[in-house]
């Protein structure tokens, strides 16, 4: 195309290809390894650790709760702030209140695990049950973005966009090399056709329905 400066295009593509590959070096390996792990989910059977912590609820919070048992849910922000400060628990899945027993129960989802806090304002005791995953379980949930929070979700999205740019700049660089261009295009077509054929021929799917 006459309006495109090919030299600038190839130079920019080469620079982007190099620096994106270095920026994504760790994440690309992480997502590849975690993808293999997710394809062999049986590896994760014994990759969990369970634990329990018993602690004392701050006296000030207990006093407030006992003084307003009928409206205890109004103290949820303070209860949540206490658990966030003490155990770094912030993302709540569910919160329940048993008025008769003065119990507040909070469920926190975590990557590869969970934390379940039960606050007894009658005894002033906190029971925290939790489960954490090992390295393989953790990277599997990081790969899926499961309970990883908004910031990690952005990491996944940005990484995906950069990988697309990485692939496109690689193709542009290929077309700069006339000797290897035809072979490169052939390999690209094989790379497109092979998974498509495998999907159509060997991946289970429903047919004959409208």
């Amino acid at each position: 195309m006459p309006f495109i400066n090919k030299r600038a295009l190839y130079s920019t593509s080469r620079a982007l290809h190099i620096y994106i590959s270095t920026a994504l070096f760790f994440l690309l390996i992480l997502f590849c390894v975690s993808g293999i792990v997710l394809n062999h989910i049986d590896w994760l059977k014994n990759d969990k650790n369970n634990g329990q912590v018993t602690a004392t609820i701050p006296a000030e919070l207990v006093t407030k709760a006992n003084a307003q048992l009928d409206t205890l849910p109004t103290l949820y922000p303070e209860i949540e702030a206490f658990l966030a400060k003490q155990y770094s628990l912030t993302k709540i899945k569910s919160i329940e209140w048993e008025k008769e027993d003065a119990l507040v129960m909070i469920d926190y989802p975590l990557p590869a695990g969970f934390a379940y806090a039960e606050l007894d304002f009658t005894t002033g005791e906190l029971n925290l049950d939790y489960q954490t995953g090992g390295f393989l379980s953790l990277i599997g949930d990081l790969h899926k973005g499961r309970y990883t929070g908004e910031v990690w979700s952005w990491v996944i999205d940005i990484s995906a966009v950069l990988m697309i740019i990485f692939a496109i700049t690689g193709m542009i660089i290929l077309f700069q090399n006339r000797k290897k261009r035809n072979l490169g295009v052939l390999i690209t077509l094989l790379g497109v056709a092979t998974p498509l054929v495998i999907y159509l021929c060997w991946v289970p799917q429903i047919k004959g329905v409208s």
Side-chain angles (χ1 to χ4, degrees):
M1 297 181 185
F3 56 90
I4 294 179
N5 187 324
K6 292 185 177 180
R7 179 174 295 182
L9 177 63
Y10 291 143
S11 177
T12 301
S13 297
R14 188 176 297 278
L16 285 173
H17 195 75
I18 291 172
Y19 291 118
I20 288 176
S21 69
T22 54
L24 289 179
F25 177 77
F26 171 74
L27 286 173
L28 191 56
I29 292 176
L30 176 68
F31 287 127
C32 288
V33 172
S34 57
I36 294 172
V37 170
L38 292 174
N39 201 39
H40 299 274
I41 204 71
D42 54 300
W43 293 356
L44 307 179
K45 287 181 179 178
N46 300 313
D47 197 41
K48 301 287 184 181
N49 300 300
N50 296 305
Q52 186 178 56
V53 173
T54 301
T56 301
I57 304 171
E60 181 182 353
L61 192 54
V62 173
T63 301
K64 286 184 179 180
N66 288 323
Q68 54 186 81
L69 286 177
D70 290 338
T71 57
L72 198 149
T74 60
L75 289 178
Y76 283 173
E78 293 185 50
I79 295 171
E80 294 168 18
F82 158 62
L83 292 170
K85 180 180 179 180
Q86 192 70 23
Y87 302 104
S88 298
L89 297 171
T90 55
K91 301 295 182 181
I92 295 175
K93 182 178 182 181
S94 66
I95 183 167
E96 299 178 21
W97 168 45
E98 288 189 5
K99 181 178 177 181
E100 294 181 359
D101 298 321
L103 285 175
V104 173
M105 296 155 289
I106 308 178
D107 187 10
Y108 294 90
L110 301 171
F114 65 84
Y116 187 81
E118 184 178 271
L119 298 94
D120 188 334
F121 288 101
T122 302
T123 63
E125 188 174 84
L126 162 68
N127 290 308
L128 181 66
D129 293 304
Y130 64 88
Q131 182 181 86
T132 58
F135 176 73
L136 294 182
S137 293
L138 178 60
I139 64 173
D141 275 7
L142 289 176
H143 185 104
K144 295 184 291 185
R146 183 173 182 265
Y147 303 134
T148 53
E150 185 176 354
V151 175
W152 185 260
S153 178
W154 276 103
V155 170
I156 294 175
D157 289 344
I158 292 171
S159 297
V161 171
L162 290 177
M163 289 177 192
I164 292 171
I165 296 173
F166 177 73
I168 292 173
T169 53
M171 289 300 298
I172 293 173
I173 293 169
L174 170 66
F175 276 87
Q176 184 185 19
N177 192 325
R178 294 182 179 179
K179 292 182 179 179
K180 299 180 180 179
R181 184 184 303 169
N182 291 337
L183 178 60
V185 171
L186 176 61
I187 294 173
T188 300
L189 293 175
L190 285 174
V192 173
T194 301
L196 182 60
V197 170
I198 291 173
Y199 170 75
L200 293 174
C201 296
W202 291 286
V203 174
Q205 51 189 297
I206 187 169
K207 297 180 179 179
V209 296
S210 57

